Coordinates of all heavy atoms in Angstrom, one line a residue:
M1 N 3.1 17.4 9.7 CA 3.4 16.2 9.0 C 2.1 15.5 8.7 O 1.4 15.2 9.6 CB 4.3 15.3 9.9 CG 4.5 13.9 9.4 SD 5.7 13.0 10.4 CE 4.6 12.5 11.8
S2 N 1.9 15.2 7.5 CA 0.7 14.5 7.1 C 1.0 13.0 7.2 O 2.0 12.5 6.6 CB 0.2 14.9 5.7 OG 0.3 13.8 4.8
V3 N 0.3 12.3 8.0 CA 0.6 10.9 8.3 C 0.1 10.0 7.2 O 0.9 9.1 6.7 CB -0.1 10.4 9.6 CG1 0.2 9.0 9.9 CG2 0.5 11.3 10.8
L4 N -1.1 10.1 6.7 CA -1.7 9.2 5.7 C -1.3 9.8 4.3 O -1.6 11.0 4.1 CB -3.2 9.1 5.8 CG -3.7 8.5 7.1 CD1 -5.2 8.6 7.1 CD2 -3.2 7.1 7.3
I5 N -0.8 9.0 3.4 CA -0.4 9.5 2.1 C -1.5 9.0 1.1 O -2.1 9.9 0.4 CB 0.9 9.0 1.6 CG1 2.0 9.6 2.6 CG2 1.2 9.3 0.2 CD1 3.4 9.1 2.3
K6 N -1.8 7.7 1.1 CA -2.9 7.3 0.2 C -3.3 5.8 0.7 O -2.5 5.1 1.2 CB -2.5 7.2 -1.3 CG -1.4 6.3 -1.6 CD -1.0 6.4 -3.0 CE 0.1 5.4 -3.4 NZ 0.5 5.4 -4.8
P7 N -4.5 5.5 0.4 CA -5.0 4.1 0.7 C -4.4 3.1 -0.4 O -4.2 3.5 -1.5 CB -6.5 4.1 0.6 CG -6.8 5.3 -0.2 CD -5.7 6.3 -0.1
I8 N -4.3 1.9 0.0 CA -3.8 0.9 -1.0 C -5.1 0.2 -1.5 O -5.8 -0.5 -0.7 CB -2.9 -0.1 -0.3 CG1 -1.6 0.6 0.2 CG2 -2.5 -1.2 -1.3 CD1 -0.7 -0.3 1.1
I9 N -5.4 0.3 -2.7 CA -6.6 -0.3 -3.3 C -6.1 -1.3 -4.4 O -5.9 -0.9 -5.6 CB -7.5 0.8 -3.9 CG1 -7.9 1.8 -2.8 CG2 -8.7 0.2 -4.5 CD1 -8.7 2.9 -3.3
T10 N -5.9 -2.5 -4.0 CA -5.5 -3.6 -4.9 C -6.5 -4.7 -4.7 O -7.4 -4.6 -3.8 CB -4.1 -4.1 -4.6 OG1 -4.1 -4.6 -3.3 CG2 -3.1 -3.0 -4.8
E11 N -6.5 -5.7 -5.6 CA -7.4 -6.8 -5.5 C -7.2 -7.5 -4.1 O -8.2 -7.9 -3.5 CB -7.2 -7.7 -6.6 CG -8.2 -8.8 -6.8 CD -8.0 -9.6 -8.1 OE1 -7.3 -9.1 -9.0 OE2 -8.6 -10.7 -8.1
K12 N -6.0 -7.7 -3.7 CA -5.7 -8.4 -2.5 C -6.2 -7.7 -1.3 O -6.8 -8.2 -0.4 CB -4.2 -8.7 -2.4 CG -3.7 -9.5 -1.2 CD -2.3 -9.8 -1.3 CE -1.8 -10.7 -0.2 NZ -0.4 -11.0 -0.3
M13 N -5.9 -6.3 -1.2 CA -6.4 -5.5 -0.1 C -7.9 -5.4 -0.1 O -8.5 -5.3 1.0 CB -5.7 -4.2 -0.1 CG -4.3 -4.1 0.4 SD -4.0 -4.9 2.0 CE -5.2 -4.1 3.1
T14 N -8.5 -5.3 -1.2 CA -10.0 -5.3 -1.2 C -10.6 -6.5 -0.7 O -11.6 -6.5 0.1 CB -10.5 -5.0 -2.7 OG1 -9.9 -3.8 -3.2 CG2 -12.0 -4.8 -2.7
A15 N -10.1 -7.7 -1.1 CA -10.6 -9.0 -0.5 C -10.3 -9.1 1.0 O -11.2 -9.5 1.7 CB -9.9 -10.1 -1.2
D16 N -9.2 -8.6 1.4 CA -8.9 -8.6 2.9 C -9.8 -7.7 3.6 O -10.2 -8.0 4.8 CB -7.4 -8.2 3.1 CG -6.8 -8.7 4.4 OD1 -7.4 -9.7 4.9 OD2 -5.8 -8.2 4.8
S17 N -10.2 -6.5 3.0 CA -11.1 -5.6 3.7 C -12.5 -6.2 3.8 O -13.2 -6.0 4.8 CB -11.1 -4.3 3.1 OG -11.7 -4.4 1.8
E18 N -12.9 -6.9 2.8 CA -14.2 -7.5 2.8 C -14.3 -8.7 3.8 O -15.3 -8.9 4.4 CB -14.6 -8.0 1.4 CG -14.9 -6.8 0.5 CD -15.1 -7.2 -1.0 OE1 -14.9 -8.4 -1.3 OE2 -15.3 -6.3 -1.8
L19 N -13.3 -9.5 3.8 CA -13.3 -10.7 4.6 C -12.9 -10.5 6.1 O -13.5 -11.0 7.0 CB -12.4 -11.8 4.0 CG -12.8 -12.3 2.6 CD1 -11.8 -13.3 2.1 CD2 -14.2 -13.0 2.7
N20 N -11.8 -9.7 6.3 CA -11.2 -9.6 7.6 C -11.3 -8.2 8.2 O -10.7 -8.0 9.3 CB -9.8 -10.0 7.6 CG -9.6 -11.5 7.1 OD1 -10.4 -12.3 7.5 ND2 -8.6 -11.7 6.3
N21 N -11.9 -7.3 7.5 CA -12.1 -5.9 8.0 C -10.7 -5.2 8.3 O -10.5 -4.6 9.3 CB -12.9 -5.9 9.3 CG -13.9 -4.8 9.3 OD1 -14.1 -4.2 8.3 ND2 -14.5 -4.6 10.5
R22 N -9.8 -5.4 7.3 CA -8.4 -4.8 7.3 C -8.3 -3.9 6.1 O -8.7 -4.3 5.0 CB -7.3 -5.9 7.3 CG -7.2 -6.7 8.5 CD -6.0 -7.6 8.3 NE -6.1 -8.7 9.3 CZ -6.0 -10.0 8.9 NH1 -5.6 -10.3 7.7 NH2 -6.1 -10.9 9.9
Y23 N -7.6 -2.8 6.3 CA -7.4 -1.8 5.3 C -5.9 -1.5 5.2 O -5.3 -1.4 6.3 CB -8.2 -0.6 5.5 CG -9.7 -0.9 5.5 CD1 -10.4 -1.2 6.7 CD2 -10.5 -0.9 4.4 CE1 -11.7 -1.5 6.8 CE2 -11.8 -1.2 4.4 CZ -12.4 -1.5 5.6 OH -13.8 -1.8 5.6
G24 N -5.4 -1.2 4.0 CA -4.0 -0.8 3.9 C -3.8 0.6 3.5 O -4.6 1.2 2.7
F25 N -2.8 1.2 4.0 CA -2.5 2.6 3.7 C -1.0 2.8 3.5 O -0.2 2.1 4.1 CB -2.9 3.5 4.8 CG -4.3 3.6 5.1 CD1 -4.9 2.7 5.9 CD2 -5.1 4.5 4.4 CE1 -6.3 2.8 6.2 CE2 -6.5 4.6 4.6 CZ -7.1 3.7 5.5
V26 N -0.6 3.7 2.6 CA 0.8 4.1 2.5 C 0.9 5.3 3.4 O 0.1 6.2 3.3 CB 1.2 4.5 1.0 CG1 2.6 5.1 1.0 CG2 1.0 3.3 0.1
V27 N 1.9 5.3 4.3 CA 1.9 6.3 5.4 C 3.3 6.9 5.3 O 4.3 6.4 4.7 CB 1.7 5.7 6.8 CG1 0.2 5.2 6.9 CG2 2.6 4.6 7.1
N28 N 3.5 8.0 6.1 CA 4.7 8.7 6.2 C 5.7 7.8 6.9 O 5.4 7.2 7.9 CB 4.5 10.0 7.0 CG 5.7 10.9 7.0 OD1 6.9 10.4 6.9 ND2 5.5 12.2 7.2
P29 N 7.0 7.7 6.4 CA 8.0 6.8 7.0 C 8.3 7.1 8.4 O 8.8 6.3 9.1 CB 9.2 6.9 6.1 CG 8.6 7.3 4.8 CD 7.5 8.2 5.1
K30 N 8.1 8.3 8.8 CA 8.5 8.7 10.2 C 7.3 8.6 11.2 O 7.5 8.8 12.4 CB 9.0 10.2 10.2 CG 10.2 10.4 9.4 CD 10.7 11.8 9.5 CE 12.0 11.9 8.7 NZ 12.5 13.3 8.7
A31 N 6.1 8.2 10.7 CA 5.0 8.0 11.6 C 5.0 6.7 12.4 O 5.5 5.7 11.8 CB 3.7 8.1 10.8
N32 N 4.6 6.8 13.6 CA 4.6 5.6 14.4 C 3.1 5.0 14.5 O 2.2 5.6 13.9 CB 5.1 5.8 15.8 CG 4.4 6.8 16.6 OD1 3.2 7.1 16.4 ND2 5.1 7.4 17.6
K33 N 2.9 3.9 15.1 CA 1.6 3.3 15.1 C 0.5 4.1 15.8 O -0.6 4.1 15.4 CB 1.7 1.9 15.8 CG 2.5 0.9 15.0 CD 2.6 -0.4 15.6 CE 3.4 -1.4 14.8 NZ 3.4 -2.8 15.4
L34 N 0.9 4.8 16.9 CA -0.1 5.6 17.6 C -0.5 6.8 16.7 O -1.7 7.1 16.7 CB 0.5 6.1 18.9 CG 0.8 5.1 19.9 CD1 1.5 5.7 21.1 CD2 -0.4 4.3 20.3
Q35 N 0.4 7.4 16.0 CA 0.0 8.5 15.1 C -0.9 8.0 13.9 O -1.8 8.7 13.5 CB 1.3 9.2 14.5 CG 2.1 9.9 15.5 CD 3.4 10.4 15.0 OE1 3.9 9.8 14.0 NE2 4.0 11.4 15.6
I36 N -0.5 6.8 13.4 CA -1.3 6.2 12.3 C -2.8 5.9 12.8 O -3.8 6.2 12.2 CB -0.7 5.0 11.8 CG1 0.7 5.3 11.1 CG2 -1.6 4.2 10.8 CD1 1.5 4.1 10.8
K37 N -2.9 5.4 14.0 CA -4.2 5.1 14.6 C -5.0 6.3 14.8 O -6.2 6.4 14.4 CB -4.0 4.4 15.9 CG -5.3 4.0 16.6 CD -5.0 3.4 18.0 CE -6.3 3.1 18.7 NZ -6.1 2.5 20.0
D38 N -4.4 7.4 15.3 CA -5.1 8.6 15.6 C -5.6 9.3 14.2 O -6.7 9.8 14.1 CB -4.3 9.6 16.3 CG -4.0 9.2 17.8 OD1 -4.8 8.3 18.3 OD2 -3.1 9.6 18.4
A39 N -4.7 9.2 13.2 CA -5.0 9.8 11.9 C -6.2 9.1 11.2 O -7.1 9.7 10.7 CB -3.8 9.8 11.0
I40 N -6.2 7.8 11.3 CA -7.3 7.0 10.7 C -8.6 7.2 11.4 O -9.7 7.4 10.8 CB -6.9 5.5 10.6 CG1 -5.8 5.4 9.6 CG2 -8.1 4.7 10.2 CD1 -5.4 4.1 9.1
E41 N -8.6 7.2 12.8 CA -9.8 7.5 13.5 C -10.3 8.9 13.3 O -11.5 9.1 13.2 CB -9.5 7.3 15.0 CG -9.4 5.8 15.4 CD -9.0 5.6 16.8 OE1 -8.7 6.5 17.5 OE2 -9.1 4.4 17.3
A42 N -9.5 9.9 13.1 CA -9.9 11.2 12.9 C -10.4 11.4 11.4 O -11.4 12.1 11.2 CB -8.8 12.2 13.1
T43 N -9.8 10.8 10.5 CA -10.1 11.0 9.1 C -11.4 10.2 8.7 O -12.3 10.7 8.0 CB -9.0 10.5 8.2 OG1 -7.8 11.2 8.5 CG2 -9.3 10.8 6.7
Y44 N -11.5 8.9 9.1 CA -12.6 8.1 8.6 C -13.7 7.9 9.7 O -14.7 7.3 9.4 CB -12.0 6.8 8.2 CG -11.2 6.9 6.9 CD1 -9.8 6.8 7.0 CD2 -11.7 7.2 5.7 CE1 -9.0 7.0 5.9 CE2 -10.9 7.3 4.6 CZ -9.6 7.2 4.7 OH -8.8 7.4 3.6
G45 N -13.5 8.3 10.9 CA -14.5 8.1 12.0 C -14.7 6.7 12.4 O -15.9 6.3 12.6
V46 N -13.7 5.8 12.4 CA -13.9 4.4 12.8 C -13.0 4.2 14.0 O -12.1 5.0 14.4 CB -13.5 3.5 11.6 CG1 -14.4 3.6 10.5 CG2 -12.0 3.7 11.2
S47 N -13.2 3.0 14.7 CA -12.4 2.6 15.8 C -11.4 1.6 15.3 O -11.7 0.6 14.7 CB -13.2 2.0 16.9 OG -14.2 3.0 17.4
V48 N -10.1 1.9 15.6 CA -9.0 1.0 15.1 C -8.7 0.0 16.2 O -8.5 0.4 17.4 CB -7.8 1.9 14.7 CG1 -6.6 1.0 14.4 CG2 -8.1 2.8 13.6
K49 N -8.6 -1.2 15.9 CA -8.2 -2.3 16.9 C -6.7 -2.5 16.9 O -6.2 -2.7 17.9 CB -9.0 -3.5 16.5 CG -8.8 -4.7 17.4 CD -9.7 -5.9 17.2 CE -10.0 -6.2 15.8 NZ -10.8 -7.4 15.6
K50 N -6.1 -2.6 15.7 CA -4.7 -3.0 15.6 C -4.1 -2.3 14.4 O -4.7 -2.2 13.4 CB -4.6 -4.5 15.5 CG -3.3 -5.1 15.6 CD -3.4 -6.6 15.6 CE -2.0 -7.3 15.8 NZ -2.1 -8.7 15.7
V51 N -2.8 -2.0 14.5 CA -2.0 -1.4 13.4 C -0.8 -2.2 13.2 O 0.0 -2.4 14.2 CB -1.7 0.1 13.7 CG1 -0.8 0.6 12.5 CG2 -2.9 0.9 13.8
R52 N -0.5 -2.6 12.0 CA 0.8 -3.3 11.7 C 1.5 -2.5 10.6 O 0.8 -2.0 9.7 CB 0.5 -4.7 11.1 CG 0.1 -5.7 12.3 CD -0.2 -7.0 11.7 NE -1.7 -7.1 11.9 CZ -2.5 -7.8 11.1 NH1 -2.0 -8.3 10.0 NH2 -3.7 -7.8 11.3
T53 N 2.8 -2.3 10.7 CA 3.5 -1.5 9.8 C 4.6 -2.3 9.1 O 5.1 -3.3 9.7 CB 4.2 -0.3 10.4 OG1 5.0 -0.8 11.5 CG2 3.1 0.6 11.0
M54 N 5.0 -1.9 7.9 CA 6.0 -2.6 7.1 C 6.8 -1.5 6.4 O 6.3 -0.6 5.8 CB 5.4 -3.5 6.0 CG 4.6 -4.6 6.5 SD 3.7 -5.4 5.2 CE 2.2 -4.4 5.2
N55 N 8.2 -1.5 6.5 CA 9.1 -0.6 5.8 C 9.6 -1.3 4.6 O 10.1 -2.4 4.7 CB 10.2 -0.2 6.8 CG 9.8 0.8 7.8 OD1 9.2 1.8 7.5 ND2 10.1 0.5 9.0
Y56 N 9.5 -0.6 3.5 CA 10.0 -1.1 2.2 C 11.1 -0.2 1.8 O 11.0 1.0 1.6 CB 8.9 -1.1 1.1 CG 8.0 -2.3 1.3 CD1 6.8 -2.1 2.0 CD2 8.2 -3.5 0.8 CE1 5.9 -3.1 2.1 CE2 7.3 -4.6 0.9 CZ 6.2 -4.3 1.6 OH 5.3 -5.4 1.7
G57 N 12.3 -0.8 1.5 CA 13.4 0.0 1.0 C 13.3 0.3 -0.5 O 12.4 -0.2 -1.1
P58 N 14.2 1.1 -1.0 CA 14.1 1.5 -2.4 C 14.5 0.3 -3.3 O 15.3 -0.5 -2.9 CB 15.1 2.7 -2.5 CG 16.1 2.5 -1.4 CD 15.3 1.8 -0.3
T59 N 13.9 0.3 -4.5 CA 14.3 -0.7 -5.5 C 15.3 -0.1 -6.4 O 15.1 1.0 -7.0 CB 13.0 -1.1 -6.3 OG1 12.0 -1.6 -5.4 CG2 13.4 -2.2 -7.3
R60 N 16.5 -0.7 -6.5 CA 17.6 -0.1 -7.3 C 17.6 -0.9 -8.7 O 17.5 -2.1 -8.7 CB 18.9 -0.3 -6.6 CG 18.9 0.4 -5.3 CD 20.2 0.2 -4.5 NE 20.1 0.7 -3.2 CZ 20.1 2.0 -2.8 NH1 20.3 2.9 -3.7 NH2 20.1 2.3 -1.5
K61 N 17.8 -0.1 -9.7 CA 17.8 -0.6 -11.1 C 19.0 0.1 -11.8 O 19.3 1.2 -11.5 CB 16.5 -0.3 -11.8 CG 15.3 -1.1 -11.3 CD 14.2 -0.8 -12.2 CE 13.0 -1.6 -11.8 NZ 11.8 -1.3 -12.6
S62 N 19.5 -0.6 -12.8 CA 20.5 0.0 -13.7 C 20.2 -0.5 -15.1 O 19.7 -1.6 -15.3 CB 21.9 -0.4 -13.2 OG 22.1 -1.8 -13.3
R63 N 20.6 0.3 -16.1 CA 20.3 0.0 -17.4 C 21.5 0.5 -18.3 O 22.1 1.5 -17.9 CB 19.0 0.5 -18.0 CG 18.9 1.9 -18.0 CD 17.5 2.4 -18.6 NE 17.5 3.8 -18.7 CZ 16.8 4.6 -17.8 NH1 16.2 4.1 -16.8 NH2 16.8 5.9 -18.0
F64 N 21.8 -0.2 -19.4 CA 22.8 0.2 -20.3 C 22.3 1.0 -21.4 O 21.4 0.6 -22.1 CB 23.5 -1.1 -20.8 CG 24.1 -1.9 -19.7 CD1 23.5 -3.0 -19.2 CD2 25.4 -1.6 -19.2 CE1 24.0 -3.8 -18.2 CE2 26.0 -2.4 -18.2 CZ 25.3 -3.5 -17.7
T65 N 22.8 2.2 -21.6 CA 22.4 3.1 -22.7 C 23.6 3.4 -23.5 O 24.8 3.0 -23.2 CB 21.8 4.3 -22.1 OG1 22.7 5.0 -21.4 CG2 20.6 4.0 -21.3
K66 N 23.4 4.3 -24.5 CA 24.5 4.7 -25.4 C 25.5 5.6 -24.6 O 26.7 5.5 -24.9 CB 23.9 5.6 -26.5 CG 23.2 4.9 -27.6 CD 22.9 5.9 -28.7 CE 21.6 5.5 -29.4 NZ 21.3 6.5 -30.4
T67 N 25.0 6.3 -23.6 CA 25.9 7.2 -22.9 C 26.5 6.5 -21.7 O 27.3 7.1 -20.9 CB 25.1 8.4 -22.4 OG1 24.0 8.0 -21.5 CG2 24.6 9.2 -23.5
G68 N 26.3 5.2 -21.5 CA 26.9 4.5 -20.4 C 25.8 3.9 -19.5 O 24.6 3.8 -19.8
V69 N 26.2 3.4 -18.3 CA 25.3 2.8 -17.4 C 24.6 3.8 -16.6 O 25.2 4.8 -16.0 CB 26.1 1.9 -16.4 CG1 25.2 1.2 -15.4 CG2 26.9 0.8 -17.2
Q70 N 23.2 3.7 -16.6 CA 22.4 4.7 -15.8 C 21.9 3.9 -14.6 O 21.4 2.8 -14.7 CB 21.2 5.1 -16.6 CG 21.5 5.8 -17.9 CD 22.1 7.2 -17.6 OE1 21.7 7.9 -16.8 NE2 23.2 7.5 -18.4
H71 N 22.1 4.5 -13.4 CA 21.6 4.0 -12.1 C 20.5 4.8 -11.6 O 20.4 6.0 -11.7 CB 22.7 4.0 -11.1 CG 23.9 3.1 -11.5 ND1 23.9 1.8 -11.5 CD2 25.1 3.5 -12.0 CE1 25.1 1.3 -11.9 NE2 25.8 2.4 -12.2
G72 N 19.5 4.1 -11.0 CA 18.4 4.8 -10.4 C 17.7 4.0 -9.3 O 18.1 2.8 -9.1
K73 N 16.8 4.6 -8.6 CA 16.1 3.9 -7.5 C 14.8 4.6 -7.3 O 14.6 5.7 -7.6 CB 17.0 3.9 -6.2 CG 17.1 5.2 -5.5 CD 17.9 5.1 -4.2 CE 18.0 6.4 -3.5 NZ 16.8 6.8 -2.9
T74 N 13.9 3.8 -6.7 CA 12.6 4.3 -6.3 C 12.6 4.8 -4.9 O 13.6 4.6 -4.2 CB 11.5 3.2 -6.4 OG1 11.9 2.1 -5.5 CG2 11.4 2.7 -7.8
N75 N 11.6 5.4 -4.4 CA 11.6 5.9 -3.0 C 11.2 4.8 -2.1 O 10.5 3.9 -2.4 CB 10.5 7.0 -2.9 CG 10.9 8.3 -3.7 OD1 12.1 8.5 -3.9 ND2 9.9 9.0 -4.1
A76 N 11.7 4.9 -0.8 CA 11.4 4.0 0.2 C 10.0 4.4 0.7 O 9.7 5.6 0.8 CB 12.4 4.1 1.3
I77 N 9.2 3.4 1.1 CA 7.8 3.7 1.5 C 7.6 2.9 2.8 O 8.3 1.9 3.1 CB 6.7 3.4 0.5 CG1 6.8 1.9 0.1 CG2 6.9 4.2 -0.7 CD1 5.6 1.5 -0.7
K78 N 6.5 3.3 3.5 CA 6.1 2.5 4.7 C 4.6 2.2 4.5 O 3.8 3.1 4.1 CB 6.3 3.4 5.9 CG 5.9 2.7 7.2 CD 6.3 3.5 8.4 CE 6.2 2.8 9.7 NZ 6.7 3.6 10.8
K79 N 4.2 1.0 4.7 CA 2.8 0.6 4.6 C 2.3 0.3 6.0 O 3.0 -0.2 6.8 CB 2.7 -0.7 3.7 CG 3.0 -0.5 2.3 CD 2.7 -1.8 1.5 CE 3.1 -1.7 0.1 NZ 2.9 -3.0 -0.6
A80 N 1.0 0.5 6.1 CA 0.3 0.2 7.4 C -0.9 -0.6 7.1 O -1.7 -0.3 6.2 CB -0.1 1.4 8.2
I81 N -1.1 -1.8 7.8 CA -2.3 -2.6 7.7 C -3.1 -2.3 9.0 O -2.6 -2.6 10.1 CB -2.0 -4.1 7.5 CG1 -1.0 -4.3 6.4 CG2 -3.3 -4.9 7.4 CD1 -1.6 -3.9 5.0
V82 N -4.3 -1.9 8.8 CA -5.1 -1.4 10.0 C -6.3 -2.3 10.1 O -7.1 -2.5 9.2 CB -5.6 0.0 9.7 CG1 -6.5 0.5 10.9 CG2 -4.4 1.0 9.6
D83 N -6.4 -2.9 11.3 CA -7.6 -3.7 11.7 C -8.6 -2.8 12.3 O -8.3 -2.1 13.3 CB -7.3 -4.8 12.7 CG -6.5 -6.0 12.0 OD1 -6.3 -5.9 10.8 OD2 -6.1 -6.9 12.8
V84 N -9.9 -2.8 11.8 CA -10.9 -2.0 12.3 C -11.9 -2.8 13.1 O -12.1 -4.0 12.8 CB -11.7 -1.3 11.1 CG1 -12.8 -0.5 11.5 CG2 -10.7 -0.5 10.3
V85 N -12.5 -2.2 14.1 CA -13.4 -2.9 15.0 C -14.6 -3.5 14.2 O -15.0 -2.9 13.2 CB -13.9 -2.0 16.1 CG1 -15.0 -2.6 16.9 CG2 -12.8 -1.5 17.0
E86 N -15.1 -4.6 14.6 CA -16.2 -5.3 13.9 C -17.4 -4.4 13.8 O -17.8 -3.8 14.8 CB -16.5 -6.6 14.6 CG -17.4 -7.5 13.8 CD -16.7 -8.1 12.6 OE1 -15.5 -8.3 12.6 OE2 -17.4 -8.3 11.6
G87 N -17.9 -4.2 12.6 CA -19.1 -3.3 12.4 C -18.8 -2.0 11.8 O -19.6 -1.4 11.2
D88 N -17.5 -1.6 11.9 CA -17.1 -0.3 11.2 C -16.5 -0.7 9.9 O -15.9 -1.7 9.7 CB -16.0 0.4 12.0 CG -16.6 1.1 13.3 OD1 -17.8 1.2 13.4 OD2 -15.8 1.5 14.1
I89 N -16.8 0.2 8.9 CA -16.2 0.0 7.6 C -15.6 1.4 7.1 O -16.1 2.4 7.5 CB -17.2 -0.5 6.5 CG1 -18.4 0.5 6.4 CG2 -17.7 -1.9 6.9 CD1 -19.2 0.2 5.2
I90 N -14.7 1.3 6.2 CA -14.1 2.5 5.5 C -14.5 2.4 4.1 O -14.2 1.4 3.4 CB -12.6 2.6 5.7 CG1 -12.2 2.7 7.2 CG2 -12.0 3.7 4.9 CD1 -10.7 2.7 7.4
D91 N -15.2 3.4 3.6 CA -15.7 3.5 2.2 C -14.8 4.4 1.4 O -14.9 5.6 1.6 CB -17.1 3.8 2.1 CG -17.7 3.7 0.7 OD1 -17.0 3.1 -0.1 OD2 -18.8 4.3 0.4
F92 N -13.9 3.9 0.6 CA -13.0 4.8 -0.2 C -13.7 5.4 -1.4 O -13.2 6.3 -2.0 CB -11.8 4.0 -0.7 CG -10.9 3.5 0.4 CD1 -10.6 2.1 0.6 CD2 -10.4 4.3 1.4 CE1 -9.8 1.7 1.6 CE2 -9.5 3.9 2.4 CZ -9.2 2.6 2.5
Y93 N -14.8 4.8 -1.8 CA -15.4 5.2 -3.0 C -16.6 6.2 -2.8 O -17.2 6.6 -3.8 CB -15.9 4.0 -3.8 CG -14.8 3.1 -4.1 CD1 -14.7 1.9 -3.5 CD2 -13.8 3.4 -5.0 CE1 -13.7 1.0 -3.7 CE2 -12.8 2.5 -5.3 CZ -12.7 1.3 -4.7 OH -11.7 0.5 -4.9
S94 N -16.9 6.6 -1.6 CA -18.0 7.6 -1.4 C -17.5 9.0 -1.9 O -16.4 9.4 -1.7 CB -18.4 7.6 0.0 OG -17.3 8.2 0.8
N95 N -18.5 9.7 -2.4 CA -18.2 11.1 -2.9 C -18.5 12.1 -1.7 O -19.7 12.5 -1.6 CB -19.0 11.4 -4.1 CG -18.6 10.5 -5.3 OD1 -17.4 10.2 -5.4 ND2 -19.5 10.2 -6.1
L96 N -17.6 12.4 -0.9 CA -17.8 13.3 0.2 C -17.6 14.7 -0.2 O -16.7 15.1 -0.8 CB -16.9 12.9 1.4 CG -17.2 11.6 2.0 CD1 -16.2 11.3 3.1 CD2 -18.6 11.5 2.6

């Protein structure tokens, strides 16, 4: 099971990472906080101080078409906000 899916790179998360040393990730919905902490420490080589998680349910939409009402939904996701120890940084833009 791969725990980390992708980092969240938005204007709000970038400002939070610069000011408060917090980074956001989209993670596997079945992963717990200890697994997320271990995965980030192994992947990026930083020390994690705190992990906060949020579960987002699917967004349901319906639209009217010629063939009738079409129903659909997006996938449910889990986000993790990770506090890194002071002095450590995660660089998403480095070419490794």
